[in-house]
């Protein structure tokens, strides 16, 4: 691929999603976009670049952007966040929200839904304590393709084996032929919606807890800072943020600070609130 073609695609993807494609990702770009070009009846990347260059095929631009996202996810990924959610976050919120009895949780880069459903299962496991509470889980992603899969609640054997404890698999899934279907009552706990983290998300409302895990790693520093500042604005002063194991706010955002004793959990500093 010509350097100017790589630059065209990487600029377009960065503008649309924040994802930074460095030159060492050329193989990734080719392996993801050649099949897309073929699907569109094009002979190869040359044709695809030509259509992108004339700038009129908006659908192709979003298909290219979606194709370049990494949608890797698993149930109860890294396990600790879900222990923190049940053992620390929920009791804390139930105390502070005792009069309102409402908790809203956002899975901000939900991919194929494993994160949002792991949150839903965690809440269901605490249902005795949460009786009489209204809980709402919203899962969002830039990619419509992953959201469609998330909404179905169907997962392969491989997908459920990655992280889902057997007892919970038995309790909350039904095997349908080769695949596993999540219980309709768990599925009903999550609403999936398209949302680009670069766009305004004021319309989503406020969230007590935000999982924004394993997406900031793909952004440059400025984008991380902006996204974290916007997330902070959607949270009440005692809200909590979960980031991925390879992510941090240190040196990136003054809106959050690590919550001592709970790795991967961040609290608001109040600094961007005024
Ligand atoms: C690696 S997955 C993380 C899934 C899940 N949070 C986890 O930790 O398992 C990253 C997701 O971020 C989404 N994504 C990338 N850029 C985005 C953006 N600008 N806005 C919203 N979602 C984005 C991708 O489509 C992908 O599904």
């Amino acid at each position: 691929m010509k350097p100017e073609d790589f630059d065209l695609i990487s600029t377009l993807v960065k503008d649309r999603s924040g994802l930074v494609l460095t030159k060492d990702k050329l193989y990734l770009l080719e392996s993801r976009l050649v099949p897309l070009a073929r699907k569109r009846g094009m002979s190869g990347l040359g044709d695809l670049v030509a259509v992108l260059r004339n700038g009129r095929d908006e659908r192709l631009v979003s298909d290219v952007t979606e194709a370049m996202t990494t949608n890797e996810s698993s149930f109860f990924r890294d396990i600790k966040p879900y222990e923190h959610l049940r053992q620390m976050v929920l009791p804390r919120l139930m105390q502070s929200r005792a009069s309102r009895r409402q908790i809203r949780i956002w899975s901000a880069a939900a991919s194929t839904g494993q994160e949002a459903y792991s949150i839903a299962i965690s809440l269901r496991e605490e249902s005795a304590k949460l009786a009489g509470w209204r809980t709402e889980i919203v899962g969002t992603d830039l990619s419509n393709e992953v959201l469609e899969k998330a909404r179905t609640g169907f997962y392969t054997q491989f997908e459920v084996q990655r992280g889902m404890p057997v007892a919970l698999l038995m309790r909350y899934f039904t095997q349908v032929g080769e695949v596993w279907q999540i219980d309709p009552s768990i599925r009903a706990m999550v609403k999936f919606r398209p949302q680009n983290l670069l766009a305004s998300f004021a319309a989503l409302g406020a969230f007590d807890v935000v999982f924004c895990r394993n997406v900031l790693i793909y952004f440059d520093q400025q984008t991380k800072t902006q996204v974290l500042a916007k997330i902070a604005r959607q949270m009440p002063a005692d809200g909590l943020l979960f980031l991925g194991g390879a992510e941090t706010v240190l040196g990136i955002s003054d809106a959050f600070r690590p919550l001592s004793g709970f790795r991967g959990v961040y609290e608001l500093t109040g600094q961007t609130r005024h």
Side-chain angles (χ1 to χ4, degrees), residues 17 19 69-74 77 109 111 115 141-143 146 195-198 213-215 218-219:
S17 67
L19 303 178
T69 60
T70 298
N71 309 122
E72 178 82 9
S73 192
S74 56
R77 187 169 185 172
S111 187
E115 182 175 273
D141 202 281
L142 164 95
S143 160
V146 291
Q195 174 67 53
N196 189 336
L197 290 172
L198 300 194
R213 305 195 69 228
N214 304 302
V215 63
Y218 301 105
F219 297 162

Side-chain angles (χ1 to χ4, degrees), residues 28-78:
L28 190 72
L29 191 144
E30 287 176 343
S31 67
R32 301 255 180 101
L33 299 189
V34 168
L36 176 63
R38 298 258 156 82
K39 214 166 102 186
R40 288 289 205 105
M42 300 168 179
S43 65
L45 284 184
D47 286 3
L48 187 132
V49 169
V51 178
L52 289 175
R53 209 176 280 287
N54 90 22
R56 277 191 227 109
D57 194 336
E58 194 46 44
R59 183 64 217 249
L60 184 65
V61 174
S62 49
D63 284 354
V64 165
T65 307
E66 287 198 20
M68 292 315 301
T69 60
T70 298
N71 309 122
E72 178 82 9
S73 192
S74 56
F75 288 104
F76 295 97
R77 187 169 185 172
D78 305 328

